[in-house]
Amino acid sequence: MNPQVKAVEYAVRGPIVLKAGEIEMQLRQGIKKPFTEVIKANIGDAHAMGQRPITFLRQVVALCTYPDLLDSPSFPEDAKNRARRILQGCGGNSLGSYSASQGVNCIREDVAAYIERRDGGVPADPDNIYLTTGASDGIAAILKLLVSGGGKTRTGVMIPIPQYPLYSAAISELDAIQVNYYLDEENCWALDVNELGRSLNEAKAYCNPKVLCIINPGNPTGQVQSRQCIEDVIHFAWEEKLFLLADEVYQDNVYSEGCQFHSFKKILYEMGPEYYNNVELVSFHSTSKGYMGECGYRGGYMEVINLHPEIKGQLVKLLSVRLCPPVSGQAAMDIVVNPPVPEEESYVQFIKEKESVLNNLAKKAKLTEDLFNQVPGIHCNPLQGAMYAFPRIFIPSKAIEAAKGNKMAPDMFYCMKLLEETGICVVPGSGFGQREGSYHFRMTILPPVEKLKILLEKVKDFHIKFLEEYA
């Protein structure tokens, strides 16, 4: 078997989730537990957690899927117009036909127009837009394109620690070299360019660091990068000739006052032609997060800047092997970038639903941070954005010894006990990476407010009991 496949680990669907599935099965069989349900707070799956879909998005996708509904008076005219436009871009006017490998043309045009609006007029070229199967597919494709060499010339990929395990998994699969740089937990998980320098210089001894990955807003850490920080990172990438990957799938999820999302593309452009014409940048977005939460559609896009024309040809070739991303996902992505505008009939309802989701998430972010910080032995940084908490937990030395006896990382031991005693499924920090000697877990803030309160209270009670048991 391919040893690179065996090396792949993906914590958010790892052993803890398999165990949660076993416990669910036992509950269904009537086996008594100290709880009645498993709360899966391990993954950012909005609709599975009870979030309602955005009506307009579902209307357009329904119309595209079953065009006979275009005659129905139950659907608003603006939704029908979107659907007709998308269908005209599809072979045979059907969502069931393959699209071009780069995606449906008119949807790529809508993505480019969205980026221009978002970035205050910075030009975007539809030819630089590639529709993808969620953001994950685009990230994996770009890494596949960039990894080369052997031994000390093997490509090094710089990733933040803590990271989203897609990155470490893709790096393992490609047999590339993972180069860790640490986010500063004491400073609200900020990214420090001096730390990038340290990481890069150490890595040069054993690989060729070529790629720098940034997740903003952060997953699992929830920080939102300042404009100054992004400028510093771009300058660093320009100086060191690094290829920048900007994972911006949480760009709509910003909650803290004084925080604002700045796209890498916009800042790059504003730094002037020396940067804008030279730094290679790919940025990613998705239908899965934001206020939409449409994970199952697997819709996404990437915008690729300053790729050499020959390399661009190779990228298109690579993408054409998988034929095309799901066309229904492309349609969903179109609604994200081309929502109702003020003069359209669906606008009022759309804005109401969008703001309701985002205001709710902001409330849950604050609630989570406040409640965790009341628990002795738990510290949680402000959740400025995204949809997760990544609290630091104190694990006593007796518990660390017990974990060793069970051949587990201490935070895996903690999370397993939490699952078995409360039915709450969270992911140990070791699955995302953390500084030696520190322990965390990641949980999503997506459950409805009442359920989230119960979850947080249960974690609090468990943690206090855990500290007493292993004191």
Side-chain angles (χ1 to χ4, degrees):
M1 185 182 161
N2 181 345
Q4 292 344 119
V5 173
K6 287 171 88 170
V8 169
E9 289 181 12
Y10 188 62
V12 294
R13 293 202 172 187
I16 201 102
V17 184
L18 296 175
K19 184 69 180 173
E22 276 174 36
I23 292 172
E24 277 184 317
M25 183 79 76
Q26 290 167 354
L27 285 170
R28 278 199 293 273
Q29 291 163 351
I31 296 169
K32 286 279 171 271
K33 300 277 177 192
F35 47 86
T36 55
E37 67 166 335
V38 172
I39 302 177
K40 286 186 176 167
N42 60 298
I43 198 163
D45 192 351
H47 294 182
M49 287 286 180
Q51 184 178 306
R52 304 284 306 147
I54 299 293
T55 304
F56 187 75
L57 188 148
R58 285 298 179 89
Q59 284 173 331
V60 177
V61 177
L63 289 161
C64 288
T65 307
Y66 190 57
D68 289 12
L69 293 172
L70 287 163
D71 298 325
S72 164
S74 307
F75 289 80
E77 209 49 48
D78 47 1
K80 290 178 179 179
N81 291 338
R82 297 290 194 293
R84 287 188 191 102
R85 184 167 186 270
I86 292 167
L87 288 170
Q88 279 161 11
C90 296
N93 290 347
S94 171
L95 225 51
S97 53
Y98 291 124
S99 75
S101 299
Q102 247 182 286
V104 174
N105 253 348
C106 67
I107 300 177
R108 286 165 49 221
E109 286 165 9
D110 288 347
V111 170
Y114 160 80
I115 292 169
E116 279 191 24
R117 283 195 310 278
R118 180 197 69 187
D119 292 347
V122 175
D125 181 351
D127 197 40
N128 291 336
I129 306 296
Y130 300 75
L131 299 175
T132 56
T133 308
S136 309
D137 168 54
I139 292 164
I142 293 293
L143 286 175
K144 195 178 278 186
L145 188 75
L146 297 176
V147 171
S148 65
K152 286 188 176 180
T153 68
R154 191 68 174 153
T155 297
V157 181
M158 299 178 70
I159 62 171
I161 297 295
Q163 52 111 16
Y164 176 54
L166 159 72
Y167 290 93
S168 52
I171 290 165
S172 284
E173 192 183 334
L174 296 167
D175 199 17
I177 308 295
Q178 179 175 320
V179 177
N180 295 341
Y181 66 88
Y182 289 92
L183 301 175
D184 182 0
E185 184 171 10
E186 307 309 314
N187 192 13
C188 202
W189 299 111
L191 194 166
D192 179 6
V193 175
N194 295 324
E195 168 60 13
L196 289 181
R198 176 209 63 78
S199 167
L200 180 85
N201 290 328
E202 284 182 14
K204 282 177 177 172
Y206 56 85
C207 70
N208 175 20
K210 284 200 306 199
V211 186
L212 171 56
C213 301
I214 310 287
I215 309 173
N216 178 50
N219 173 13
T221 41
Q223 84 288 4
V224 178
Q225 286 176 0
S226 68
R227 188 198 166 90
Q228 185 56 54
C229 173
I230 294 172
E231 279 189 22
D232 293 345
V233 170
I234 291 171
H235 178 72
F236 180 82
W238 171 77
E239 230 174 17
E240 300 290 349
K241 296 187 169 47
L242 295 171
F243 196 110
L244 262 181
L245 303 192
D247 180 340
E248 298 176 332
V249 302
Y250 295 99
Q251 56 190 263
D252 287 304
N253 302 103
V254 177
Y255 316 123
S256 290
E257 257 177 68
C259 286
Q260 190 189 339
F261 170 74
H262 301 280
S263 78
F264 267 75
K265 159 92 178 292
K266 179 175 195 260
I267 307 294
L268 178 65
Y269 189 83
E270 289 172 355
M271 285 173 74
E274 194 171 4
Y275 292 93
Y276 186 65
N277 294 327
N278 292 299
V279 174
E280 293 162 308
L281 167 71
V282 184
S283 46
F284 304 91
H285 196 16
S286 161
T287 60
S288 302
K289 309 304 175 188
Y291 56 90
M292 309 76 69
E294 294 284 8
C295 305
Y297 275 116
R298 310 308 300 128
Y301 74 74
M302 57 184 178
E303 183 184 22
V304 182
I305 308 288
N306 290 329
L307 204 60
H308 187 281
E310 277 180 40
I311 309 288
K312 228 172 148 173
Q314 296 296 322
L315 175 60
V316 172
K317 177 183 78 177
L318 180 64
L319 295 175
S320 67
V321 173
R322 55 96 164 106
L323 294 172
C324 69
V327 182
S328 53
Q330 296 184 47
M333 192 75 245
D334 188 70
I335 307 316
V336 175
V337 298
N338 186 21
V341 292
E343 55 274 14
E344 290 181 310
E345 62 185 295
S346 301
Y347 179 76
V348 173
Q349 184 185 6
F350 170 77
I351 287 296
K352 189 177 160 200
E353 291 177 356
K354 175 182 175 178
E355 287 180 351
S356 165
V357 171
L358 293 175
N359 292 340
N360 216 354
L361 281 167
K363 194 192 300 177
K364 292 191 279 194
K366 191 78 185 89
L367 174 77
T368 304
E369 177 200 333
D370 289 349
L371 282 179
F372 272 146
N373 286 327
Q374 289 169 19
V375 185
I378 296 185
H379 172 71
C380 186
N381 271 324
L383 311 184
Q384 298 173 332
M387 43 184 68
Y388 311 98
F390 196 66
R392 184 169 180 161
I393 47 175
F394 171 68
I395 298 184
S397 50
K398 248 177 92 176
I400 293 170
E401 286 307 309
K404 270 186 198 158
N406 284 280
K407 294 190 169 56
M408 282 185 193
D411 50 8
M412 173 64 92
F413 177 73
Y414 177 97
C415 291
M416 275 294 184
K417 281 188 88 66
L418 176 69
L419 173 63
E420 286 163 355
E421 291 178 25
T422 68
I424 293 168
C425 178
V426 297
V427 190
S430 45
F432 300 87
Q434 54 200 350
R435 281 196 184 273
E436 193 67 38
S438 73
Y439 305 108
H440 303 78
F441 63 79
R442 187 192 83 160
M443 60 160 266
T444 181
I445 60 168
L446 285 169
V449 171
E450 289 317 306
K451 190 175 263 194
L452 184 63
K453 281 180 183 165
I454 293 166
L455 185 158
L456 294 167
E457 282 299 328
K458 280 185 163 189
V459 172
K460 175 186 170 181
D461 295 344
F462 167 82
H463 189 79
I464 290 166
K465 192 169 140 254
F466 183 86
L467 292 186
E468 284 168 2
E469 188 181 341
Y470 292 99

